[in-house]
Amino acid sequence: MIKELVKKMYRKLRSVYHKLKFYYSVNWTKTLYFNFKKFPFQTAKKLPVFFYGKVYFQSIQGEIIINGPIKTAMIGFGQQFEIEIKSKGIAQLSLYGKLTFNGYAHMGKDVILYVGQNADCEFGYMSCLGSSVKVICTHKLFIGDWSRIGHESQIMDTNFHPMINTLTGEQYPLKGPIYIGSYNAFSNRISIMPNTRTPDFCVVASNSLCNKDYTSFGSNILLGGIPVKLLKNNYSRDWENEKEPLMKYLIVQL
């Protein structure tokens, strides 16, 4: 009898501890400021966007849209969901253009997200950026539902500098849209460059370079290399067995 009471008390104390730990991890100043600055009051009071840890706002003058029912903490910026628990404190949000979320989305620690003037950046339902991912959107970026970008990867829809053919004088395009299909699994340290387009149910191996349209390969494929090439067919992350655990782990319940 006493043993059961002790166990029950321990579980309650552990639950209180984890709740306090979670509330302490939230950057309440940035969370409150961002939500009430960017949303109508009826939306802002639900606090749909949570910031965790240190984050620098270079600018938040752009537009943010959340499609679907508004829930508390449905967008997490700096969220803890990987092995890394320490932050470098370099997270940065630069919002000049349009940023759209189609439901829940999650970003790990030390993410740098830049959405330039007149740029359009869109995240699908349950899409995810791992820790230390850098996103530079100056034109058009779309990430499909359930697609996940591994840590230390970079997504850039611009070459930053104008390049020319020194023989003909032809100028190469500076920017190009990026479309990442649904149910994509990008491993770590991948570079996703202008004009990348991936099909649904695609896996990309570590340390790869993506820079063109791969949809002709079809779905359920493994890509890899510098630049990327088709490595394997009939290959996919086991989404049906991962969906429920991911939702339980990533969606904040308050």
Side-chain angles (χ1 to χ4, degrees):
M1 181 68 175
I2 295 176
K3 188 176 180 180
E4 290 301 317
L5 286 173
V6 171
K7 284 183 177 180
K8 188 176 181 180
M9 184 178 295
Y10 170 75
R11 285 193 292 268
K12 286 184 176 180
L13 288 172
R14 186 174 64 177
S15 176
V16 170
Y17 167 75
H18 284 297
K19 285 183 179 180
L20 288 173
K21 186 178 179 181
F22 169 78
Y23 282 110
Y24 179 76
S25 72
V26 178
N27 186 330
W28 290 106
T29 301
K30 292 296 176 67
T31 295
L32 291 167
Y33 175 76
F34 183 88
N35 283 279
F36 282 95
K37 179 76 172 178
K38 301 306 298 178
F39 299 115
F41 179 77
Q42 292 302 317
T43 298
K45 70 179 184 179
K46 296 180 181 179
L47 300 180
V49 182
F50 265 36
F51 292 90
Y52 303 86
K54 185 178 179 181
V55 56
Y56 172 65
F57 291 167
Q58 183 182 39
S59 173
I60 57 170
Q61 69 184 35
E63 180 183 10
I64 180 168
I65 299 170
I66 301 177
N67 295 319
I70 300 298
K71 303 289 184 181
T72 301
M74 63 189 301
I75 313 298
F77 194 102
Q79 194 169 342
Q80 171 63 47
F81 52 77
E82 295 177 295
I83 293 174
E84 298 177 48
I85 59 173
K86 293 286 188 178
S87 171
K88 304 181 189 76
I90 61 171
Q92 179 177 310
L93 175 62
S94 304
L95 177 58
Y96 297 96
K98 183 168 73 171
L99 178 60
T100 302
F101 294 98
N102 296 314
Y104 288 92
H106 311 89
M107 303 179 196
K109 297 179 180 298
D110 301 311
V111 166
I112 294 175
L113 176 59
Y114 177 92
V115 183
Q117 194 79 36
N118 300 318
D120 187 359
C121 182
E122 184 172 349
F123 289 82
Y125 178 77
M126 288 299 290
S127 57
C128 176
L129 302 179
S131 298
S132 300
V133 167
K134 181 185 291 183
V135 176
I136 308 296
C137 176
T138 64
H139 176 46
K140 173 66 178 179
L141 168 63
F142 175 82
I143 300 177
D145 297 344
W146 286 96
S147 288
R148 320 185 73 70
I149 312 298
H151 64 275
E152 297 183 354
S153 294
Q154 56 182 358
I155 307 174
M156 298 182 288
D157 67 359
T158 177
N159 294 319
F160 294 101
H161 305 287
M163 308 299 288
I164 64 169
N165 184 311
T166 56
L167 185 63
T168 66
E170 176 191 1
Q171 290 190 328
Y172 295 109
L174 183 64
K175 304 175 183 179
I178 295 174
Y179 295 93
I180 295 172
S182 296
Y183 298 97
N184 274 215
F186 284 74
S187 191
N188 63 302
R189 295 181 177 175
I190 294 172
S191 293
I192 305 168
M193 306 303 290
N195 302 308
T196 294
R197 184 184 291 263
T198 61
D200 296 342
F201 296 97
C202 174
V203 178
V204 182
S206 299
N207 299 295
S208 294
L209 170 65
C210 304
N211 61 0
K212 64 180 183 180
D213 189 338
Y214 304 100
T215 56
S216 63
F217 292 135
S219 299
N220 299 308
I221 56 172
L222 171 64
L223 303 174
I226 303 176
V228 153
K229 62 181 180 180
L230 178 63
L231 299 180
K232 189 178 292 187
N233 286 301
N234 305 311
Y235 192 89
S236 178
R237 189 162 168 172
D238 188 358
W239 293 104
E240 290 308 312
N241 285 321
E242 278 208 85
K243 271 187 174 182
E244 187 175 348
L246 283 171
M247 292 183 75
K248 287 183 177 178
Y249 185 61
L250 291 171
I251 295 178
V252 175
Q253 303 291 341
L254 298 176

